[in-house]
Amino acid sequence: MPKLKFPQYKVRGKHRDYYVVAFPNYPYMWPNYEKDDREYIIDTDAAGWQQLRYAIAILLQAQDRIIYFPTKNNNRLRPIADYYEDYDTVLTVSGLHFRRSEWVRLRRQLKPANRVQNFALSYKPEEIVAQAEKIAYDWHYWQLEKKMVKKVLGNSAFFCLPEKYYYNSFAASLDCEKWIQRNDLGSYIGKLGWMLPDKCIEKHCFCNEKYSI
């Protein structure tokens, strides 16, 4: 399979440079606060989860990258939950020493002048799934939980997860995709969020546009 290419920027933080891989906006993706579990999650459909799998694959291949989804203006297409707020989405791996307070400064640098060579992703989902199965029971749960950060700062939702959680979410989303359209409400996947069936979005999106992907 040919490598997939994604726009990439080199930006300057207070003490170091970072590389940000910027995805195009996907309108049916909403980071939000899940009141029942008291944590931030991402709601999206199967096509949105494909974008998340690409993002996860990038993070597993290059753990020093920052992934950016410009989701803040997706509010007019939000589903039935009227408590959604408007956030951009930022994903990193736990090992990256990244100050969330610097993000506004970094995001302002996502300009053509700072664009560098595209990130070339060698996308091999079968290898990621195999690794996820290999480490499925090799977890120290509480140690991983301590490393996980899911918080909002300003108008961005940050998801900083250990790589094992990303492996799990990747594999679980592929499995969920096989039956999600037969489900009315969707399914919670890994530590990232929900996969919603098409009919759920068709029925509940507050918009005048026809749902079509």
Side-chain angles (χ1 to χ4, degrees), residues 80-187:
I80 193 169
D82 58 3
Y83 51 80
Y84 280 8
E85 299 182 57
D86 304 327
Y87 302 125
D88 283 332
T89 304
V90 180
L91 306 178
T92 63
V93 175
S94 295
L96 180 66
H97 299 291
F98 166 58
R99 292 179 179 270
R100 293 180 295 280
S101 58
E102 286 194 81
W103 174 243
V104 172
R105 175 182 178 178
L106 301 182
R107 186 177 57 193
R108 288 173 180 164
Q109 299 177 52
L110 301 181
K111 300 177 180 180
N114 294 322
R115 185 164 174 175
V116 295
Q117 184 176 6
N118 288 341
F119 187 95
L121 172 65
S122 181
Y123 186 63
K124 299 178 180 179
E126 66 283 352
E127 293 185 5
I128 297 177
V129 171
Q131 180 64 12
E133 294 174 348
K134 183 178 179 181
I135 65 175
Y137 301 103
D138 183 26
W139 286 28
H140 301 284
Y141 180 78
W142 292 113
Q143 293 181 14
L144 294 179
E145 288 290 300
K146 289 179 181 178
K147 294 179 180 179
M148 182 175 66
V149 176
K150 297 197 286 185
K151 292 184 177 180
V152 160
L153 183 63
N155 58 13
S156 297
F158 296 88
F159 297 84
C160 178
L161 275 60
E163 65 172 347
K164 289 184 178 181
Y165 282 164
Y166 281 123
Y167 275 112
N168 174 261
S169 296
F170 187 102
S173 72
L174 279 175
D175 184 62
C176 180
E177 206 170 63
K178 300 173 184 176
W179 52 264
I180 189 62
Q181 303 307 339
R182 302 193 301 271
N183 185 291
D184 290 331
L185 300 177
S187 178

Side-chain angles (χ1 to χ4, degrees), residues 23-75:
F23 278 67
N25 182 44
Y26 183 72
Y28 304 102
M29 184 182 292
W30 305 275
N32 65 95
Y33 186 70
E34 173 60 62
K35 295 181 179 179
D36 292 339
D37 295 327
R38 298 181 181 179
E39 63 177 359
Y40 285 94
I41 61 171
I42 301 170
D43 287 350
T44 189
D45 60 2
W49 262 99
Q50 179 62 72
Q51 297 301 307
L52 287 174
R53 283 194 295 272
Y54 290 148
I56 290 171
I58 291 172
L59 290 175
L60 294 176
Q61 183 174 316
Q63 297 191 12
D64 62 340
R65 269 24 179 209
I66 298 172
I67 302 293
Y68 170 57
F69 285 95
T71 53
K72 190 172 82 71
N73 295 320
N74 288 351
N75 59 322

